[in-house]
Amino acid sequence: MVGMTRLCVPLTGSTCEQMAAGLTAAAAGGADTVELRLDFLQEWSEPAVRRLLEAAEAFPGDVIATYRIAAEGGHYDEGEAQRISRLEFVGLSGAVDYIDVEYEAWRVSANVRQKIGLVCDVNADTDRPRRRLILSKHDFTGTPIDLDSMLTTIAREPAHVAKIACKANTIVDALRMLDALRTSAAVRPTIALSMGEAGLLTRVLAGKFGAFLTFASLEAGQESAPGQVSLAEMKQLYRWDAIGPATQVYGVIGCPVAHSMSPAILNAAFGETGFDGVYLPFRVEPEYAAFAAFVDGCVVRPWLHLRGCSVTIPHKQNLLAYLEKRGGCVEPLARRIGAANTLCIEPGQQEDGTDAVVSAYNTDYRGAMDALLAGMGCRAEDLSGVSVAVLGAGGAGRAIVAGLRDCGCAVTIYNRTRDKADALAVEFGAEARPFEERVRHNADVVVNCTSTGMWPNVDDTPMPAEGLASRPLVFDTVYNPIETRLLREAREHGCRTVDGVEMFVRQAAAQFERWTSRPAPVALMRDVVTAKLRSAQH
């Protein structure tokens, strides 16, 4: 591993004044390095550029100058001689530490090799040249097969840093990029990143595998390439400074997955308990083949240290199918429910990971039961004989009916499609009633397992107010908004209430405890969810 990985902020202001302000903001945000993306400047004025370079000299870390051509994802599409002349001007100022030039431009242009090579001291007999050269190659269409040979080819040139950045069309492309990074970073300073949503793990885990640097935008909307997260997210959400070679990796597998709250909850929990882990969103396309390719790809890379994943729509059935084909432990109730939401991977002794132990669990029902017990103030054994009206017979309803029956509750299912309610009732020994009869229930507990009342349809409710007159405990699995119309009207009728946030937090807490063997910081996790929901509503 060559050196410590830097956190670099590309400055993409359209004026020199904006870039100078960005230098100050990047330093305040904790960036180690900044990249002056000169191709973003809408006009070139040497006096203004000189003032920018004076500001750059005051930056506490390293400064990279990049003047990217449009063919490799930049904004410059004018004369090449002018571009190289301007890069030479910036380099000779003494204000920058690195100059990034495209490998292809370096390969074909004697002008580039002569001028930029001289500025970067590529032929100097010293270990500490005044400026260093980054040779880079970009592919915005996909990830080539020959990543290793690409990096080796770049490294044959007198470059101080070799860089490749390619679009990840699937998350397996990102795993291949990490392969290339590990191999190259062991012998030379290397930047190897996958662009796009599927490539996020290469950005966040760059330090784990010894990359020269990774990029984070100054703010959302100021990215210089697809898939960059903001500096604040990298430092706070993903706890960049805590990630090291031994950090264990977790994540949420889904499609879509970008707006999942799980990374905020689990990363906060890792930080609170001092657990050396990081939790990432993994976008995996809906097909079983894509799911299996990703999990297999992680298992055969034991150095990745992937130890567990939350599994959400549309992959809960794919997880069970994967375990059936691969072999492994499946929690009995998860098998009965027909869906699992928690993947665990225990490493084996083989270098290729083929003897790793893979298992699957369902914490959706566990989260629901824990939330219900907390709301009722009782123990699991006290639920035997408690009557529960369940609204909905979909995936959430199925998991909760299974959990309720496992605790001995008397369950009645109300669903708009009667056949689904009947089938679920027969399978788990419950009763099914017509949906319109739900207002006449006499249950001790009402559980809403439908999406009715979820944002933005906040004025909807699955249970008319007259169905709350018997003052039961009302549990709504919807968590956005935190207080649904159902819960508000239940409270107004004197009912005890349990919100969906409690269930969401409890199922995440169950995953945390299974992965870490530590008590989950439930109160903190609840605070994180509540804060994110309230922030989103505003």
Side-chain angles (χ1 to χ4, degrees):
M1 190 175 295
V2 182
M4 297 293 292
T5 302
R6 302 120 184 270
L7 188 54
C8 178
V9 170
L11 301 179
T12 59
S14 60
T15 68
C16 291
E17 291 74 17
Q18 289 176 351
M19 283 198 185
L23 284 162
T24 302
D32 310 304
T33 303
V34 292
E35 179 186 35
L36 303 180
R37 282 298 300 267
L38 302 173
D39 53 298
F40 276 77
L41 293 175
Q42 293 184 355
E43 61 179 41
W44 182 277
S45 162
E46 284 202 5
V49 173
R50 287 185 188 279
R51 290 193 295 272
L52 170 61
L53 295 174
E54 289 172 3
E57 287 191 84
F59 183 76
D62 285 337
V63 178
I64 301 170
T66 300
Y67 212 148
R68 185 77 68 225
I69 59 174
E72 296 219 23
H75 290 249
Y76 184 80
D77 57 1
E78 299 179 36
E80 181 70 348
Q82 176 179 262
R83 181 176 80 108
I84 300 309
S85 176
R86 289 175 176 176
L87 266 178
E88 182 183 31
F89 169 78
V90 170
L92 291 174
S93 72
V96 302
D97 304 282
Y98 293 85
I99 294 180
D100 182 326
V101 175
E102 302 80 14
Y103 166 74
E104 289 300 321
W106 176 271
R107 184 178 67 84
V108 303
S109 172
N111 186 39
V112 172
R113 292 195 299 274
Q114 178 184 358
K115 291 185 176 180
I116 303 304
L118 181 62
V119 167
C120 292
D121 304 324
V122 296
N123 296 315
D125 186 18
T126 174
D127 293 332
R128 296 191 60 80
R130 290 170 296 172
R131 281 159 298 280
R132 294 176 172 86
L133 174 66
I134 300 173
L135 285 182
S136 58
K137 189 171 181 61
H138 304 79
D139 189 330
F140 286 83
T141 63
T143 303
I145 297 298
D146 56 340
L147 293 175
D148 286 334
S149 64
M150 287 172 59
L151 283 167
T152 300
T153 299
I154 293 172
R156 290 195 186 107
E157 302 294 336
H160 302 102
V161 182
K163 175 189 175 184
I164 54 172
C166 304
K167 180 185 178 184
N169 289 317
T170 72
I171 198 165
V172 174
D173 288 340
L175 295 179
R176 292 198 295 111
M177 186 62 76
L178 290 180
D179 290 337
L181 172 62
R182 288 182 72 239
T183 301
S184 182
V187 294
R188 67 180 69 90
T190 302
I191 304 167
L193 296 167
S194 292
M195 295 181 285
E197 183 182 351
L200 182 137
L201 75 164
T202 67
R203 298 183 180 278
V204 178
L205 299 181
K208 178 175 172 66
F209 301 115
F212 177 71
L213 62 76
T214 190
F215 293 95
S217 65
L218 186 59
E219 294 180 359
Q222 297 184 22
E223 301 83 4
S224 63
Q228 285 176 6
V229 299
S230 71
L231 177 61
E233 285 182 312
M234 193 72 89
K235 298 279 282 188
Q236 299 165 22
L237 172 60
Y238 296 116
R239 302 171 54 249
W240 166 261
D241 295 314
I243 297 174
T247 298
Q248 298 186 39
V249 179
Y250 302 85
V252 52
I253 300 174
C255 186
V257 75
H259 298 295
S260 171
M261 289 192 294
S262 295
I265 302 164
L266 273 301
N267 282 318
F270 291 157
E272 178 72 10
T273 59
F275 183 79
D276 188 9
V278 63
Y279 186 102
L280 306 171
F282 298 134
R283 179 186 174 92
V284 177
E285 298 308 308
E287 299 78 16
Y288 171 80
F291 178 88
F294 173 61
V295 178
D296 281 342
C298 294
V299 168
V300 299
R301 293 171 171 86
W303 45 262
L304 181 61
H305 299 140
L306 184 74
R307 295 291 180 261
C309 288
S310 311
V311 179
T312 188
I313 296 172
H315 291 297
K316 292 185 178 182
Q317 286 75 34
N318 286 341
L319 175 54
L320 286 187
Y322 179 82
L323 266 294
E324 289 174 3
K325 293 184 179 183
R326 187 187 192 279
C329 172
V330 177
E331 179 187 26
L333 197 53
R335 194 181 295 279
R336 285 199 67 195
I337 293 168
N341 74 327
T342 306
L343 167 69
C344 297
I345 301 175
E346 298 178 27
Q349 300 300 316
Q350 299 294 326
E351 290 186 4
D352 62 0
T354 53
D355 62 336
V357 178
V358 183
S359 53
Y361 304 86
N362 189 309
T363 66
D364 286 332
Y365 84 85
R366 162 81 182 275
M369 293 302 101
D370 287 351
L372 183 60
L373 292 171
M376 297 181 70
C378 66
R379 301 168 299 174
E381 50 267 34
D382 299 325
L383 288 179
S384 181
V386 171
S387 60
V388 183
V390 174
L391 311 181
R398 183 178 181 83
I400 288 176
V401 167
L404 291 168
R405 290 295 298 134
D406 194 55
C407 291
C409 296
V411 177
T412 304
I413 304 166
Y414 300 89
N415 191 62
R416 294 184 188 278
T417 304
R418 178 63 187 273
D419 289 347
K420 288 187 67 175
D422 286 340
L424 186 58
V426 168
E427 188 172 355
F428 288 99
E431 181 182 4
R433 305 286 298 170
F435 189 69
E436 57 271 17
E437 292 185 11
R438 69 196 185 284
V439 296
R440 298 195 294 273
H441 76 89
N442 59 357
D444 302 311
V445 178
V446 173
V447 182
N448 173 41
C449 298
T450 76
S451 60
T452 305
M454 181 183 294
W455 187 90
N457 302 310
V458 296
D459 292 328
D460 296 341
T461 179
M463 175 69 78
E466 56 265 32
L468 306 172
S470 59
R471 296 176 183 269
L473 181 142
V474 178
F475 176 13
D476 196 343
T477 62
V478 170
Y479 60 80
N480 186 13
I482 299 171
E483 184 177 70
T484 58
R485 177 183 169 185
L486 173 65
L487 293 182
R488 183 175 68 253
E489 291 181 346
R491 183 170 44 78
E492 291 168 353
H493 280 75
C495 303
R496 289 175 293 166
T497 61
V498 177
D499 58 45
V501 169
E502 190 69 17
M503 174 182 167
F504 184 75
V505 168
R506 296 278 180 170
Q507 65 83 25
Q511 291 177 328
F512 176 91
E513 291 174 355
R514 182 166 290 281
W515 292 330
T516 68
S517 300
R518 302 184 183 193
V522 175
L524 170 74
M525 297 168 81
R526 185 185 300 110
D527 289 345
V528 171
V529 176
T530 302
K532 285 190 69 67
L533 287 171
R534 288 176 175 162
S535 174
Q537 289 167 2
H538 290 299

